[in-house]
Amino acid sequence: MAQAGAGRRYVRAFVSGFFVAVPVTVTVLDRFAYVARVEGASMQPSLNPEGNVTGSDVVLLNRWSVRNYQVRRGDIVSVLSPKNPQQKIIKRVIALEGDFIKTLGYKNRYLKVPDGHFWIEGDHHGHSLDSNSFGPVSLGLVHGRASHIIWPPNRWQRIEPSIPPERMPLLNWHADATEDEEKD
Amino acid sequence: MSTIWLFFVFFLRKLSGLGASASWLCSRLPGRFRSVAITVCLVVTWEVSIGGDMFRRVLGKTLGFLGYTVQYGCIAHCAFEYIGEFVACSGPSMEPTITSHDVVFSERLSRHLCRIEKGDIVIAKSPFDPHMNICKRVIGLEGDKICTSGPSDVFKTHQYVPKGHVWLEGDNLRNSTDSRSYGPVPYALIRGRVCLKLWPPHNFGALNQSPTGRIVKRSD
């Protein structure tokens, strides 16, 4: 009888612990931080520089900083794929709404990014399924901002936002007329 | 500055080992938080050891209260994210099925399990403003051929819905901006499927079928 009582106590403790741990974990993964392994070569050399030979990079995705859909040019973000809603793709933000950009292989050579959209590209042009294939992406699809590489340990680093200079936007319609930058 | 604080910690006789190690940990924090955190640790440890029982009880109750708040907040988040949410609709684009100021219940399970079907009314994030939501009916899924010309046009134009997208139209075709103006919408922008109308009470219950007859019968 004492053993049955002790067993029931353990079961109750397990169940109550379960109902605390699962919602808290799910909320943290949905709202604060998410950990994801990067697959593929579309972001070389920034992520996965040696492909899958030495193991893929694992990044920490900050979901709290994109809760108001605020991304900056040059950030690496994870986005729900417009082609497959169950897949997340990780690419760099090249241009925001209102920017006028030159595309690499899209159906239009020059494009103004529409309101509420942004333009993403992988660092490894040609090996990347990005906005050059499916066009500007709606801001509602943004999932998280990759802030740190946390595995493998020799690649621990903070990811800094940077755009390759040849991919900078040509013009921004929302900027002041005196501040227009025209790049070749 | 941090070394001065550490000496202060070790020379105070009433401080427990926990307070000392907490203060040492705080000294590792970056500049902004360092002085604030060390002060808080020192004050709390001093109060706990001097103030005795009552302060410990109050601290215990506060922590318990915070713990419950966090736990129920997380359960609420999971309920609204994975089960369903209440939505107040505004605008004339879904009349007569849903009128302005109606309250409906939209369930999230179909969206997470990818079981949204043609003819469902869905709530989705607006493609042009992620802070706004739109409430429309699904007319076609990926691969369907949609007739994009109006009923009065002579030449009929068609468009195929791309992979991973859906075609949304409001029931009030005359007064609705939907996929006919902004094109197919990515499936991942859908938030939930409207299944029940809750307010006004005389209209309580399930929602009607599409009155427009625009739903694509089968994919070609």
Side-chain angles (χ1 to χ4, degrees), chain B residues 110-125:
Chain B
S110 327
R111 182 251 183 244
H112 287 292
L113 300 173
C114 284
R115 300 186 72 87
I116 301 273
E117 289 164 13
K118 273 191 275 233
D120 285 344
I121 303 181
V122 295
I123 309 277
K125 288 192 238 192

Side-chain angles (χ1 to χ4, degrees), chain A residues 19-20 22-24 26-27 30-31 67-69 80-86 97 114-117 138-141, chain B residues 70-71 73-75 77-78 81-82 111-114 125-131 142 162-165 186-189:
Chain A
F19 277 113
V20 169
V22 167
V24 171
V26 167
T27 306
D30 277 350
R31 293 262 175 194
R67 70 191 183 282
N68 281 327
Y69 310 105
L80 293 164
S81 170
K83 290 288 179 199
N84 181 354
Q86 287 163 314
E97 62 186 7
D115 283 346
H117 288 68
S138 178
L139 267 174
L141 292 175
Chain B
V70 165
Q71 185 186 339
C74 294
I75 293 181
H77 166 90
C78 289
E81 186 71 28
Y82 294 101
R111 182 251 183 244
H112 287 292
L113 300 173
C114 284
K125 288 192 238 192
S126 165
F128 288 97
D129 183 359
H131 297 280
E142 64 186 20
K163 191 165 181 306
H165 289 66
Y187 183 98
L189 284 178

